[in-house]
């Protein structure tokens, strides 16, 4: 895991179900292994973006809806 990964900020911004988390993790592992490097923050954000896209949402949509709840 790269030093730039900030799980706390990701958890505060984005709400995601368990099954979708697994899909994001799979994306991250594949991206990192293809480039022979640790998982980076941008891998996680790209994985989230791809996962939210499946349901027609963007990272911004999810961040806005998550922020309204607090």
């Amino acid at each position: 895991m790269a030093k730039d990964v900030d799980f706390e900020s990701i958890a505060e911004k984005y709400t995601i179900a368990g099954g979708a988390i697994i899909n994001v993790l799979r994306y991250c592992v594949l991206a990192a292994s293809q480039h022979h490097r640790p998982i980076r923050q941008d891998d996680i954000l790209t994985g989230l973006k791809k996962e939210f896209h499946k349901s027609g949402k963007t990272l911004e949509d999810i961040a806005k809806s998550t922020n309204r709840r607090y």
Side-chain angles (χ1 to χ4, degrees), residues 1-67:
M1 193 71 56
K3 291 181 181 182
D4 72 328
V5 175
D6 184 356
F7 287 116
E8 191 171 328
S9 72
I10 293 169
E12 288 174 0
K13 286 184 180 179
Y14 309 108
T15 302
I16 188 167
I21 291 171
I22 292 170
N23 290 339
V24 172
L25 177 60
R26 286 179 181 149
Y27 171 81
C28 292
V29 169
L30 289 172
S33 67
Q34 287 175 347
H35 295 96
H36 306 287
R37 58 170 172 71
I39 294 171
R40 301 184 310 203
Q41 181 87 355
D42 65 316
D43 294 327
I44 297 169
L45 294 175
T46 301
L48 285 167
K49 183 178 179 180
K50 289 177 176 289
E51 195 60 29
F52 291 140
H53 180 74
K54 292 178 186 178
S55 59
K57 297 177 183 173
T58 66
L59 289 180
E60 292 79 17
D61 294 336
I62 300 300
K64 288 177 188 174
S65 68
T66 301
N67 287 334

